[in-house]
C-alpha cells in the first residue's frame, strides 16, 4: 500500500506539520527531551508517524541534525520490529486497568538494546477512567529511561491531570496544495502520470489527511497509471451525481411530483436513502459556500464540470431555501437513524422542502414570510388627466441618465428613441424578488450603502435593474462609480448575470385632480338626472 510504502522516515519528510517537526528537531539537537508527549489532531495527519520517528531519533546511534540516520542497528531494528524497547499500544483494545498495570511493571526494567524504552499509546482517549488513574502516577514521575508518546484524535476526552503532565503538539489538517505536491512526487516515483487537477481533487477529497490521499491515489492506480480528473471522479464515486442537481432544481421550483419521481427511480436502483440524504446535505452545503464566499472552489471536492453546474444553481437559488434544505436534511438523517422507513422519511422531507406551507418549522415560516414580502403586489398608480412635463433627465433612458459614461454614449447615439426607451423600460419593469438578498450582499460590501438602500425596491426590465431609491442619500450612492460597481457585483452574484443600473421613476399623480362632486354631477347629467346647482 502506498501509505505504508511512502510513510516518512525522517522529520524532514513529514508534510504540512512544521509547527511539530521543527520544535521536535530543536529539542533533539539540544538534548532537552521530555518524558511525556501528547500528539493530537485529525486522522491521517502524521501523529503516529511522528511518534515512531521520535522513538527512533531519541535512540539513534548517529543522529543527523535531529533526524534519525536510518542506517544504524537501532533504526533498522525499529523499522523491522526487532527492537523490543519500542512498544506500540492500541488503547482501543487495551483500555483496562490491568493493561496499564502491566505497562507500569514493564516500565521499571531498563531497555535491552536502546537508550530509552518508548511507549506509543495510540487513541489514548479510549482508556477507561480507572486506566487513566493507573497511568497518572507513572506519567508524573516515570523512570529516567522511559518516554511516553500519547496520540489521540479527541483530546477533549483526556483528563486535565494527564494533559498537564504532557508536552502537547497539535497536528493541523494538511493544505490541499501541499498534499497535491506530495502526490505528484509519489506518482513520479511510481512511474505513473498524475494530472495537476486530479491531484488537487484527491487532496480535497482527503480533507487534510495525507494517508487518505495516498489511499485514493492507490485506488486510482488500480484503474489507470494515467490518473486524470475523470479517473479520480470514477474511483471516488463522484460520477452519476446528476440526481442531486435535479432534486435541488425540483426543490427550488416547488415541484414535489418531480422530486418524488427521482427518489423512486433512485430507490429502485438500490440507492440507500441515508446515503442519499447525506449527499443532498453535502450538495446544499456546497451551494451555501458558493453563495456566501467569493471563491469556494478551493474548498469543494467536486470535478470542475459539476462545480460550474453547482455555481449556476446556487446563484439562482435564494439563500433561505438553501439553509432550510440543509436543516431539513440533517433532521431527516437523525430520524432515519432513530428507526422507521427511510424511504418514507426522505419522501416526507422532499415534500416539505418543495411545499414550505406544509412545514411548521421556524425556518420554513421565515422562508414563506420572505417569499410573501418579495412577491407582494404593488398598488397601481392612479390615473391622471395630464402628465407632468418631463425634465430632460427624465426623458432619457435610465441607462443614459444615471449610468456609466460608456452607456450614456451608446444611448446618446439614438436621442429620438430616448423617451420611448425610458417609457418602455418603465412599462415592462417587474419587481425583483431577490432584491432583499442582494441588499444583504451590498451591506457586506458597504454597510453605509446597505443602510441607505434599506426600504428600497428594485425592478428588472430587459438588461436593466431599476432601483426605487427611498431617499436622496441612496440616489447619491447610486451615482458613485465604486458603489455602482458593488451593486452590480451583488446582483451578478445572486442572479448570475450582469445588469445595467438605473433609477426607477414612479408615475406621479396629477396635482389638479377633478373635484369628486363634479365627477358625480357629470355622471348624473349623462344619465338624465336633474342636478340642482346653487
Amino acid at each position: 500500500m502506498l501509505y505504508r510504502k511512502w510513510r516518512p522516515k525522517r522529520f524532514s519528510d513529514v508534510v504540512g506539520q512544521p509547527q511539530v517537526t521543527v520544535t521536535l528537531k530543536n529539542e533533539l539537537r539540544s538534548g532537552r527531551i521530555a518524558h511525556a508527549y501528547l500528539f493530537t489532531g485529525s486522522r491521517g495527519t502524521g501523529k503516529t508517524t511522528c511518534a515512531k520517528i521520535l522513538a527512533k531519533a531519541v535512540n539513534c546511534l548517529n543522529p543527523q541534525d535531529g533526524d534519525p540516520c536510518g542506517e544504524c542497528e537501532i533504526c533498522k531494528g525499529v523499522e523491522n520490529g526487532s527492537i523490543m524497547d519500542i512498544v506500540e499500544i492500541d488503547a482501543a483494545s487495551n483500555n483496562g486497568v490491568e493493561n496499564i498495570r502491566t505497562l507500569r511493571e514493564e516500565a521499571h526494567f531498563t531497555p535491552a538494546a536502546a537508550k530509552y524504552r518508548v511507549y506509543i499509546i495510540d487513541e489514548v482517549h479510549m482508556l477507561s477512567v480507572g486506566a487513566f488513574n493507573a497511568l497518572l502516577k507513572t506519567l508524573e514521575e516515570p523512570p529516567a529511561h522511559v518516554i511516553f508518546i500519547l496520540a489521540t484524535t479527541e483530546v477533549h476526552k483526556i483528563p486535565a491531570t494527564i494533559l498537564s503532565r504532557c508536552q502537547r503538539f497539535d497536528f493541523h489538517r494538511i493544505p490541499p496544495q501541499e498534499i497535491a505536491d506530495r502526490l505528484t512526487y509519489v506518482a513520479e516515483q511510481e512511474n505513473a502520470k498524475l494530472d495537476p487537477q486530479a491531484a488537487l481533487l484527491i487532496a480535497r477529497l482527503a480533507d487534510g489527511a495525507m494517508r487518505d490521499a495516498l489511499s485514493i491515489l492507490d485506488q486510482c492506480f488500480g484503474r489507470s497509471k494515467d490518473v486524470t480528473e475523470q479517473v479520480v471522479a470514477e474511483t471516488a464515486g463522484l460520477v452519476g451525481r446528476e440526481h442531486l442537481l435535479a432534486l435541488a432544481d425540483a426543490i427550488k421550483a416547488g415541484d414535489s411530483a418531480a422530486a418524488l419521481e427521482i427518489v423512486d427511480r433512485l430507490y429502485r436502483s438500490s440507492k440507500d436513502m441515508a446515503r442519499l440524504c447525506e449527499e443532498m446535505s453535502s450538495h446544499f452545503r456546497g451551494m451555501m459556500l458558493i453563495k456566501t464566499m467569493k471563491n469556494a472552489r478551493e474548498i469543494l471536492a467536486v470535478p470542475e464540470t459539476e462545480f460550474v453546474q453547482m455555481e449556476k444553481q446556487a446563484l439562482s437559488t435564494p439563500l433561505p431555501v438553501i439553509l432550510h434544505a440543509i436543516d431539513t436534511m440533517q433532521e431527516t438523517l437523525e430520524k432515519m437513524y432513530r428507526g422507521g422507513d427511510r424511504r418514507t422519511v426522505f419522501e416526507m422531507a422532499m415534500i416539505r422542502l418543495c411545499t414550505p406551507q406544509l412545514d411548521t418549522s421556524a425556518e420554513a415560516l421565515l422562508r414563506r414570510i420572505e417569499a410573501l414580502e418579495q412577491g407582494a403586489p404593488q398598488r397601481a398608480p392612479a390615473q391622471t388627466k395630464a402628465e407632468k412635463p418631463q425634465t430632460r433627465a427624465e426623458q432619457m433612458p435610465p441607462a443614459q441618465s444615471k449610468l456609466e459614461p460608456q452607456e450614456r454614449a451608446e444611448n446618446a447615439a439614438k436621442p429620438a428613441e430616448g423617451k420611448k426607451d425610458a417609457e418602455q423600460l418603465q412599462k415592462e419593469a417587474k419587481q425583483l424578488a431577490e432584491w432583499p438578498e442582494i441588499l444583504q450582499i451590498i451591506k457586506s460590501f458597504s454597510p453605509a450603502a446597505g443602510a441607505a438602500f434599506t426600504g428600497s425596491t428594485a425592478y428588472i426590465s430587459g438588461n436593466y435593474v431599476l432601483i426605487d431609491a427611498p431617499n436622496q442619500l441612496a440616489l447619491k450612492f447610486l451615482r458613485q462609480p465604486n458603489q455602482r460597481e458593488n451593486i452590480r457585483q451583488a446582483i451578478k452574484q445572486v442572479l448570475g448575470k450582469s445588469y445595467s443600473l438605473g433609477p426607477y421613476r414612479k408615475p406621479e399623480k396629477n396635482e389638479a385632480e377633478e373635484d369628486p362632486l363634479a365627477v358625480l354631477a357629470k355622471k348624473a347629467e349623462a344619465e338624465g338626472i336633474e342636478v340642482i346647482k346653487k
Side-chain angles (χ1 to χ4, degrees), residues 325-382:
I326 295 175
D327 284 334
T328 303
M329 289 295 100
Q330 295 293 334
E331 293 173 2
T332 303
L333 198 59
E334 292 177 4
K335 290 180 180 178
M336 288 181 178
Y337 289 139
R338 287 200 300 264
D341 190 309
R342 294 187 173 185
R343 178 182 180 181
T344 303
V345 173
F346 189 79
E347 288 174 338
M348 290 171 60
M350 287 294 104
I351 293 175
R352 287 199 303 271
L353 287 175
C354 294
T355 314
Q357 294 83 350
L358 301 178
D359 194 342
T360 58
S361 65
E363 293 79 9
L365 293 175
L366 290 174
R367 178 178 164 190
R368 292 169 59 188
I369 290 171
E370 183 178 8
L372 290 173
E373 289 176 346
Q374 294 176 353
Q378 300 296 309
R379 181 177 296 177

Side-chain angles (χ1 to χ4, degrees), residues 17 76 109 111 124 140 154 174 225 264 266 407 438 453:
Q17 307 296 345
K76 291 181 179 180
F109 294 100
V124 69
E140 183 178 12
E154 300 182 39
I174 306 173
K225 284 291 184 179
D264 179 66
L266 294 172
E407 294 170 348
I438 296 172
F453 282 98

Side-chain angles (χ1 to χ4, degrees), residues 2 17 23 73 83 147 153 168 173 186 268 278 363-364 369 374 426 438 448 467 475:
L2 289 181
Q17 307 296 345
T23 305
E73 59 181 10
I83 299 293
I147 296 176
T153 56
R168 175 172 170 175
R173 294 184 187 273
V186 171
R268 285 188 280 106
E278 292 174 353
E363 293 79 9
I369 290 171
Q374 294 176 353
Q426 297 284 137
I438 296 172
I467 302 175
L475 289 173

Side-chain angles (χ1 to χ4, degrees), residues 178-215:
E178 295 189 27
I179 293 179
D181 293 341
R182 179 66 174 177
L183 294 178
T184 303
Y185 171 77
V186 171
E188 291 175 354
Q189 299 301 312
E190 294 290 326
N191 297 321
K193 183 179 179 182
L194 179 61
D195 185 73
Q197 290 301 320
L200 279 174
L201 180 56
I202 294 175
R204 296 190 189 104
L205 288 169
D207 194 23
M210 178 60 72
R211 183 176 64 234
D212 292 354
L214 289 171
S215 296

Side-chain angles (χ1 to χ4, degrees), residues 78-93:
V78 173
E79 285 294 328
N80 58 34
S82 61
I83 299 293
M84 305 304 295
D85 296 323
I86 310 299
V87 182
E88 186 172 356
I89 301 172
D90 179 20
S93 54

